Amino acid sequence: MKTIDQLLADGVAGKRVFVRADLNVPLDGTTITDDGRIRAVLPTVTRLAEAGARVVVASHLGRPKGAPDPAFSLAPAAARLGELLGTEVAFATDTVGASARAAVGGLADGRVAVLENLRFNPGETAKDDAERGAFADALAALADVYVGDGFGAVHRKHASVYDLPARLPHAAGQLIAAEVAVLRRLTEDVERPYAVVLGGAKVSDKLGVIDHLLEKADRILIGGGMAYTFLKAQGHEIGTSLLQEDQVPAVRDYLKRAQERGVEFVLPVDVLVSPEFPDLGTKAPAHPAVVAADAIPADRQGLDIGPASRELYASKLADAATVFWNGPMGVFEHPDFAGGTREVAQALVDTPAFTVVGGGDSAAAVRILGFDEAAFGHISTGGGASLEYLEGRTLPGLAALED
């Protein structure tokens, strides 16, 4: 895989360099609530611009239905990128039309333009190879060189991720190179003990990675909404807690296999419960109660791991040499149910282990809860991509960058 270092050594001055970034930031209207993904691509964009490239940044945002939708415009991300770069950034109001051609054509050496949301064009996500290829051809006409740096999208077989690199000289950006190096540390010659913390709402989202990690991890800690399917599989009543009933047989099988292989599965011993899901808008007090994980009342739902579970999880991380964390321990967006996620994050800060926060809600929680990102070994920009890599899957966007 060619790197940006090699690309810069070859020279990019005066060349139109297409950077496939991941600017899929959360928005409150037009206000960006977390600019982490924009900041993540800054090193690559900055190095290219300083080398005299004419940088064309492109990304998706959200899930528009293949047509322009103001709610998913990249205009706020383009403005924030300009602020972070300290320079004016041109913004095209389309992807490959007149505005895009004018924005790119008007670039001087060392300047930057951002195209509108790629998913406004149906060709970006098309299942049909020809339709996707036609869009890739139109994007290729805007550039001389391709740099893949949107790690959060490399698990998608999309035109700008998979098809476009085949049409242009290509290289991996600084972010993707860093992400791949970290993930290799989690899959090849791992320093042990290797602990994995998995949370989030649905156990079905994590089945593949659990299956793969049963061959690699020493201990797996489970929290979040998915924990209740595990507790149900152990025969416990879980009240009105989130449950994926159809996944109970698979979870039982994983618990059995873990025991056979000597992999320690750690489940909550106590949880915070409430009669109803909290109001995340007003964040009104929810008055949670702590109950044993095997004694959840029939009319209550679990919304966070309890204090005893937090201590237990911290102890299981304290002596680890490698830790991977993906998924919050509870409804961290509400102050009454943020404690479990906060304590797990603090345990990662306190351990001398190499720690990786696997993107998505975990990365957002780290920032929202006020942790210093530098206190972690690595914070990934791609939750889904990280999980699929750990599952052992071939990621289309990475395969496309291989020579």
Side-chain angles (χ1 to χ4, degrees):
M1 185 183 293
K2 188 173 184 178
T3 67
I4 190 173
D5 293 332
Q6 295 167 289
L7 183 66
L8 291 170
D10 293 340
V12 295
K15 293 183 179 179
R16 301 169 302 165
V17 180
F18 187 104
V19 178
R20 201 332 180 159
D22 179 10
L23 307 181
N24 186 28
V25 292
L27 293 172
D28 181 3
T30 59
T31 301
I32 297 170
T33 58
D34 181 358
D35 68 356
R37 284 176 171 164
I38 301 174
R39 287 185 286 111
V41 79
L42 278 178
T44 290
V45 173
T46 299
R47 291 183 70 191
L48 289 168
E50 289 178 347
R54 302 177 182 189
V55 187
V56 182
V57 180
S59 175
H60 71 286
L61 191 151
R63 296 179 181 274
K65 302 183 184 301
D69 183 337
F72 297 106
S73 175
L74 274 175
R80 181 58 179 152
L81 179 62
E83 292 173 357
L84 293 169
L85 289 171
T87 186
E88 184 178 353
V89 168
F91 180 65
T93 57
D94 56 27
T95 56
V96 292
S99 181
R101 292 192 297 272
V104 175
L107 284 177
D109 293 359
R111 307 297 289 185
V112 180
V114 175
L115 304 182
E116 184 54 285
N117 191 337
L118 293 169
R119 290 185 182 175
F120 285 0
N121 191 304
E124 170 68 0
T125 60
K127 300 296 185 184
D128 180 74
D129 291 348
E131 183 179 358
R132 217 174 49 245
F135 184 48
D137 287 339
L139 290 172
L142 298 173
D144 304 303
V145 180
Y146 177 92
V147 172
D149 213 32
F151 182 74
V154 293
H155 58 315
R156 305 295 187 191
K157 193 176 181 180
H158 291 169
S160 66
V161 175
Y162 178 75
D163 302 272
L164 183 55
R167 289 158 167 79
L168 295 170
H170 51 265
Q174 199 161 311
L175 173 62
I176 279 188
E179 294 272 14
V180 171
V182 165
L183 289 170
R184 283 177 177 159
R185 289 186 65 175
L186 298 178
T187 54
E188 304 169 12
D189 300 321
V190 183
E191 291 186 66
R192 299 185 179 281
Y194 180 17
V196 176
V197 187
L198 297 175
K202 295 181 179 180
V203 69
S204 58
D205 293 341
K206 306 291 197 300
L207 288 179
V209 75
I210 292 172
D211 184 71
H212 204 66
L213 287 171
L214 283 174
E215 308 291 333
K216 297 182 179 296
D218 297 301
R219 60 186 72 131
I220 300 176
L221 288 60
I222 302 293
M226 63 185 286
Y228 303 100
T229 299
F230 278 87
L231 292 171
K232 185 72 172 180
Q234 288 187 324
H236 303 310
E237 291 303 320
I238 60 169
T240 60
S241 305
L242 186 64
L243 171 66
Q244 286 188 285
E245 187 78 50
D246 61 325
Q247 301 299 334
V248 169
V251 167
R252 286 199 184 109
D253 178 64
Y254 286 140
L255 291 171
K256 179 182 177 183
R257 285 171 54 197
Q259 186 174 27
E260 292 170 350
R261 294 179 179 276
V263 177
E264 185 180 10
F265 247 101
V266 185
L267 298 177
V269 293
D270 63 345
V271 297
L272 294 186
V273 298
S274 178
E276 58 190 18
F277 197 85
D279 188 326
L280 301 183
T282 64
K283 293 184 171 52
H287 306 295
V290 179
V291 301
D294 60 356
I296 299 175
D299 62 346
R300 297 289 189 273
Q301 59 181 306
L303 295 168
D304 193 14
I305 60 173
S309 299
R310 298 169 196 175
E311 289 186 15
L312 172 64
Y313 286 24
S315 71
K316 297 295 183 181
L317 299 174
D319 67 340
T322 304
V323 180
F324 174 73
W325 172 33
N326 181 279
M329 297 294 98
V331 186
F332 73 92
E333 300 91 340
H334 192 284
D336 287 351
F337 304 103
T341 301
R342 181 180 291 107
E343 289 302 314
V344 164
Q346 187 62 53
L348 265 68
V349 170
D350 293 340
T351 180
F354 174 61
T355 57
V356 179
V357 180
D361 286 341
S362 308
V366 163
R367 289 187 278 267
I368 289 170
L369 296 176
F371 285 90
D372 180 0
E373 294 181 44
F376 302 88
H378 180 73
I379 298 181
S380 178
T381 57
S386 295
L387 289 177
E388 290 196 17
Y389 189 101
L390 292 180
E391 288 176 32
R393 295 195 199 181
T394 297
L395 305 187
L398 295 184
L401 294 175
E402 297 288 351
D403 293 321

